[in-house]
Amino acid sequence: MIGLWVAIGTLLLGLAAGAALHARNGRVTAARQPERELPGPVAEALGAEDPVTLVQLSTTFCAPCRHARAVLSTLAERTEGLRHVDLDITQRPEVAQRLGVWRTPTTLALDPGGRELMRVHGVPRSADLLTALRPHLP
């Protein structure tokens, strides 16, 4: 009987954790990292002519990364002053570590100087991201 209660408790805990992660997926959050020097590949991806560069950190076998790439590239094509760059960090885990990224896809919104404006974990919601970026776009 105790084994049944343990199984039910584990199931409920797993469902609660899954629901919490699902609720956070794609939510735009304010920049948390203190300003510091960007890793080389990220600094090279910045566009000096664009007010905002969306740097998507992806891995090779990440299915949500492909969906995020489609959302972000479409948004960048339709929005003046917005640029999208996809960086594969599969072979460069030090980039993710220096940026405090623990899952992919993670998208950083950076200004031309490399200051982090905001970040999105998971597949972004296009309308929410555009609303959050409006103050930084022309």
Side-chain angles (χ1 to χ4, degrees):
M1 187 68 171
I2 291 177
L4 178 63
W5 288 112
V6 169
I8 291 172
T10 303
L11 179 64
L12 291 176
L13 185 61
L15 288 172
L21 285 175
H22 181 70
R24 292 182 55 201
N25 189 39
R27 184 177 296 166
V28 177
T29 59
R32 299 175 302 157
Q33 302 296 325
E35 291 188 31
R36 58 182 173 212
E37 187 176 333
L38 292 173
V42 177
E44 293 168 7
L46 293 178
E49 65 282 350
D50 298 306
V52 178
T53 301
L54 298 174
V55 179
Q56 176 187 340
L57 303 171
S58 303
T59 51
T60 303
F61 299 105
C62 168
C65 294
R66 290 188 286 279
H67 188 217
R69 184 179 309 115
V71 170
L72 294 171
S73 62
T74 301
L75 184 64
E77 289 171 4
R78 295 185 325 201
T79 308
E80 181 184 347
L82 188 61
R83 180 171 180 246
H84 171 243
V85 176
D86 186 8
L87 286 178
D88 186 344
I89 59 170
T90 305
Q91 301 300 321
R92 300 183 267 191
E94 70 281 354
V95 172
Q97 183 181 17
R98 285 187 55 198
L99 293 170
V101 172
W102 295 100
R103 65 183 267 206
T104 58
T106 294
T107 304
L108 308 176
L110 303 169
D111 71 5
R115 185 174 61 94
E116 184 178 324
L117 305 172
M118 62 197 68
R119 63 175 53 197
V120 180
H121 302 284
V123 179
R125 296 177 191 104
S126 187
D128 294 345
L129 182 57
L130 190 56
T131 300
L133 289 173
R134 280 287 176 217
H136 306 286
L137 295 170

